[in-house]
Amino acid sequence: MNTIRQVPSRVKSRRSETNLGAEREHFDKQQLSSISKAINSTETPVKEKHARRIILGTHREKGAYTFWSYAIGLPLSSSTILSWKFCHVLHKVLRDGHPNSLQDCMRYYSNIAETGVLWGNLRDRHGYGQLVALYTKLLCSKLEFHTKHPDIPPNLEATDEVLERTAGTDINNVFQLTVEVFDYMDVELRLAESVLRQLNTSIAISTLTAGQCKLAPLIQVIQDCSHLYHYSVKLLFKLHACLPADTLQGHRERFHDQFHSLKTFFNKARDMQYFKRLIQIPRLPDSPPNFLRASALAEHVKPMVVIPDDEEPEEQEEDEPEPLIDVSEVDIFDQAFGPPNNGFDDRDLQIENLKKEIELLRAELEKIKAEAQRYITQLKSQINSLEAELEEQRVQKQRALVENEQLRMELEATRSRNAEHESIQSTFVEAEKRAQATELRYNKLKEKHAELVANHAELLRKSADTVKMLSATQQTQEEVARTKQQLAFEVERVKQESDMKTGEQMNTSMTSLQAEKERLMRCVSEKEAELSALRQAAQVKESSLVQERERSSKELGELQGKLKEKVSREELLQKKLLEEQFALLQGTVAEAEMIIQDAVAKLDDPLHIRCTSSPDYLVSRAEATLGSIDKVQEGHAHYLKNMGDAGALLRALAQFSHLTADTIINGSATAHMAPTDHADRLTESCRGCASQSLRFLEELKSKASLKRADPASIRLMDLRPKGMDVGKDELGDMVDKEMAATSAAIEEAVRRIDEMMNQARRDTEGVKLEVNERILNSCTDLMKVRWKFSNNDQLYSFRNIGAATVKEFYARNSRWTEGLISAAKAVGWGATQMVDSADKVVLHTGKYEELIVCSHEIAASTAQLVAASKVKADRGSKKLSSLQQASRHVNEMAANVVASTKTGQEQIEDKDTMDFSGMSLIKLKKEEMESQVKVLELETMLENERLRLGELLLLKFS
């Protein structure tokens, strides 16, 4: 019987282990089935029971491994509805799943973001594309926020104490956290507004499955927004308690906008039938809180979102879970071993023993799981830290690439501007050459025209001579006619007389008259021949004159056409020349503005604070600038008279911009050595000079304002430093004041170090207390080495140069005095910086390297002050030897500070030494490779920082 009773015990033990494995396998299958049914391309809302099983699965496995193992294979790029339901389920997992789900989801951050980018650039007929893009932005913002602030859970259900602890006591952290909460709220509201904008708020739409599919995720949005609203109110009241109201004007305006948007969203959702049975939406007050009144915080009521207990009915599905215990096995067992005896069966006792064994095994299994989970958590944290470091390196690399790209673009722009300037200049030279060639052709045409005019005048003269000859011929003809008439008259008279005389006389007269007649006839023939020849010549001359006139008229028309064409071409060239000259002027003006604006930017550049200049050099620069203004005025007047020649104005503007920028920079450098009120006035004068210069350059940009641009207005600005108004008798007082201020700064530093020492003794203990005491003691020893120029007449040999008093000595050596003042300022500044750095080191918010650098800076500034004093000191003065001894003591104390700091740093780092004893060889090799990579990266960063330090030193001593 004993043997028979032991058999079922072993059988049931094996059966229990089989049931545990089957139960686990069944649960995994059930969870995967729920994921596949919850995330599909059907336009219906996600069922609550499927989402609940997925969330329970994350708590069972303490993470979201199973969820992501299935979700990573979903075809999100093929369906917007599938992507939308995936985002909805992921939102639920982040809010209600196991806390480790946040880290698991953070590993797939890039996949989520890429899904949003994909659907943000596409359009679909259902309108889900833009919604998916907004939902992925919300999820990415949620992951970033809760990864950065792990104390606030993803469901945002954190107490006010947790919020206060997260914000901290640093007002800068509170300010940054408020901005992040505002950004968080913005992405939530943008998603809600986009969903409601696509849907009609009528009851019919909200009750359809298509509308419910879009409205379902807004339940989680309402839950998030209620908590974010409460956080915003608490943080804003805390900011107003520490900062002025004007500083937070932008925060209040942004909160008011979010308040009205959130109230509108809640009111619309409250009126929709879909939300009435699923969630109770809180009501916001009629007006936002008055943050300017501190008592208004007591009136604030945290909005509470209530989810009713009514759940959707469970429906029988094809994959209904099978029972974990098969009752048929009991019947088989009864058939094998028979019924119990007298109503009692010792199998009950065996079942109890098996249950106890199962509980022990479960406890041991839980321990193993907890240990494994702890190792997994450690590995996850290491992976997350490495991923964060890698991401930071990627961001730095991307930032460097962006900066390189910007520099490359600026270089390309500069090269293009130079090439354009060279092309314009070459075009201008070619235009001048073409103008000269045109001028030569024009002169030749003028000469030809003059020659044609002269020929035309000669022909006109010849024509006049011909006309005169014709008129003379006509007179001759008239004379011949008159002669004929006279001859006929004489013949008639002779006939009459012949009648009266004897025949002999008549014959004689007839003979003489006949001879006279023949002579006259010959004369008439000759005159007619001559007249005929003259007529032929006149006709030839007339025809040639007509041809010459026609040819001259034709040539004159051609010359006039060429002249008009030349005049129009010259007008075009002149217009193009004017445009090119104006373009050159605009390029020069733009370059001058950039130079002056760059100089103005130096006024607020922290790297420029250490640069100094003497008032005399500033005066020389200012005088040179005023001289350049005269040249600008002359060039401007010349350009207005002849806008085709801007060379003088361009050269004057280039010189003026560089000299003005030089004056502004040296004015700022001189202001660093002047007293505060004088330095402020000098800085404002520099800004005013830059403003007037930029206004004048702005007027040169427009043709309308070009004529009224007056460079003489810049003369109204006082370019001379106000430090020159300080009397030479006041230099001695300034030295005494700076020395007193330096001593006061050192005494204040000693007092603050004592306070930090007391505070460190109260707040720390052990190694940290020892390190803090050693560092603060070394800093105190360094600060207590003080010096003071009490008997200047014993230190400086001012009587040897004719000075009767110390003030007269300082007045005669004004530049040296300014250097002494600058060195004293540097000593005081170094003391203040050392105290600040030591305070940060003690509070573990600073770096040990900062304290080391401050120690070196104090030693250097002390050496500078001693060197400045040594220049004018009497070689036999006892004060000089004591001063040099104090300088050596300062160097020794500074070395002690450096040594104490390095020793403390090594002790703190030794305390945090990592333990690699439990790691395998592969993990050790992996850690070794990662350490080597990090060493190479740090060496590269160190080399870059050394180059940057070299550039800063060059800028400092330039």
Side-chain angles (χ1 to χ4, degrees), residues 342-354:
N342 300 325
F344 175 78
D345 194 348
D346 58 353
R347 286 182 296 176
D348 296 334
L349 180 61
Q350 294 175 359
I351 291 172
E352 291 297 329
N353 293 333
L354 290 174

Side-chain angles (χ1 to χ4, degrees), residues 273-338:
Q273 186 67 27
Y274 175 71
F275 293 106
K276 290 183 178 180
R277 66 182 181 86
L278 297 177
I279 186 172
Q280 294 181 8
I281 303 174
R283 295 185 180 272
L284 298 182
D286 295 335
S287 60
N290 185 7
F291 299 105
L292 302 180
R293 183 168 55 88
S295 59
L297 178 59
E299 303 171 2
H300 168 67
V301 178
K302 181 179 180 180
M304 300 297 294
V305 177
V306 179
I307 303 295
D309 294 333
D310 297 337
E311 299 178 355
E312 61 185 12
E314 292 287 338
E315 300 176 0
Q316 289 293 333
E317 298 179 9
E318 296 178 359
D319 60 342
E320 189 70 16
E322 300 176 357
L324 298 179
I325 301 176
D326 191 356
V327 294
S328 61
E329 295 178 357
V330 179
D331 298 334
I332 296 173
F333 187 83
D334 291 340
Q335 294 175 4
F337 297 98

Side-chain angles (χ1 to χ4, degrees), residues 348-507:
D348 296 334
L349 180 61
Q350 294 175 359
I351 291 172
E352 291 297 329
N353 293 333
L354 290 174
K355 287 182 178 180
K356 291 180 182 181
E357 291 179 1
I358 290 172
E359 291 298 329
L360 292 176
L361 292 174
R362 283 182 178 175
E364 186 177 357
L365 181 61
E366 288 297 328
K367 289 181 181 180
I368 295 173
K369 286 184 177 180
E371 186 69 18
Q373 186 64 33
R374 185 173 63 83
Y375 283 121
I376 292 172
T377 304
Q378 292 178 356
L379 293 175
K380 283 183 180 180
S381 62
Q382 293 179 3
I383 293 172
N384 291 334
S385 62
L386 292 174
E387 288 180 350
E389 185 175 356
L390 178 61
E391 186 65 24
E392 183 179 358
Q393 294 295 330
R394 288 177 180 173
V395 171
Q396 292 179 357
K397 179 181 178 181
Q398 187 66 24
R399 190 181 298 114
L401 291 175
V402 171
E403 292 177 356
N404 291 337
E405 184 64 20
Q406 291 177 351
L407 292 175
R408 187 187 65 77
M409 292 175 65
E410 292 178 359
L411 180 61
E412 291 296 331
T414 304
R415 288 177 176 174
S416 63
R417 286 199 300 269
N418 292 335
E420 183 179 357
H421 180 74
E422 292 176 358
S423 64
I424 292 175
Q425 193 68 25
S426 61
T427 305
F428 175 68
V429 173
E430 292 177 359
E432 287 185 347
K433 292 181 179 179
R434 289 196 299 269
Q436 292 176 359
T438 305
E439 186 68 23
L440 291 175
R441 289 195 298 272
Y442 176 69
N443 292 333
K444 291 180 179 179
L445 289 174
K446 284 179 67 178
E447 293 176 358
K448 185 67 174 177
H449 181 263
E451 183 180 354
L452 291 174
V453 170
N455 294 334
H456 183 65
E458 182 66 24
L459 291 175
L460 290 176
R461 285 194 299 272
K462 291 181 180 180
S463 178
D465 294 339
T466 305
V467 171
K468 288 179 181 179
M469 293 174 64
L470 288 174
S471 61
T473 303
Q474 290 177 358
Q475 290 177 359
T476 304
Q477 289 177 351
E478 290 176 357
E479 289 178 357
V480 170
R482 285 195 300 269
T483 303
K484 284 182 177 182
Q485 289 177 0
Q486 290 175 2
L487 182 61
F489 179 75
E490 288 294 331
V491 170
E492 186 65 27
R493 186 178 61 79
V494 169
K495 285 181 178 180
Q496 291 176 359
E497 288 178 355
S498 64
D499 291 339
M500 295 174 62
K501 292 180 179 181
T502 59
E504 186 177 357
Q505 293 177 345
M506 185 175 62
N507 292 330

Side-chain angles (χ1 to χ4, degrees), residues 669-722:
T670 305
H672 297 160
M673 298 176 58
T676 304
D677 52 350
H678 294 167
D680 294 340
R681 289 198 298 271
L682 179 56
T683 303
E684 289 303 320
S685 297
C686 293
R687 293 183 189 276
C689 175
S691 177
Q692 290 289 343
S693 301
L694 292 175
R695 189 176 297 112
F696 166 68
L697 294 175
E698 184 67 25
E699 290 178 348
L700 292 179
K701 289 183 177 180
S702 174
K703 293 182 179 180
S705 61
L706 181 63
K707 293 183 179 180
R708 67 171 181 267
D710 185 14
S713 60
I714 305 176
R715 293 181 182 274
L716 300 177
M717 304 307 301
D718 190 1
L719 296 178
R720 292 173 297 180
K722 293 295 184 181

Side-chain angles (χ1 to χ4, degrees), residues 784-888:
K784 287 183 178 179
V785 181
R786 297 178 297 175
W787 56 91
K788 191 174 183 182
F789 297 98
S790 58
N791 296 321
N792 294 330
D793 55 344
Q794 296 179 7
L795 180 61
Y796 308 122
S797 55
F798 53 86
R799 292 189 180 89
N800 295 335
I801 61 172
T805 62
V806 176
K807 293 183 177 180
E808 185 178 354
F809 170 76
Y810 287 139
R812 288 179 178 271
N813 300 273
S814 60
R815 292 191 178 180
W816 173 83
T817 304
E818 292 170 357
L820 185 65
I821 293 173
S822 176
K825 285 184 177 180
V827 172
W829 176 82
T832 305
Q833 289 297 113
M834 167 165 278
V835 175
D836 294 339
S837 300
D839 190 11
K840 293 179 181 179
V841 169
V842 172
L843 295 176
H844 303 290
T845 60
K847 298 180 179 179
Y848 291 95
E849 291 78 4
E850 294 180 0
L851 191 56
I852 295 173
V853 172
C854 288
S855 302
H856 291 312
E857 184 66 23
I858 288 180
S861 58
T862 304
Q864 181 182 358
L865 181 59
V866 173
S869 302
K870 188 177 179 181
V871 172
K872 298 295 182 180
D874 191 354
R875 298 301 181 221
S877 174
K878 295 180 180 180
K879 188 71 173 180
L880 177 61
S881 61
S882 62
L883 185 64
Q884 293 175 340
Q885 184 177 1
S887 175
R888 288 191 291 271

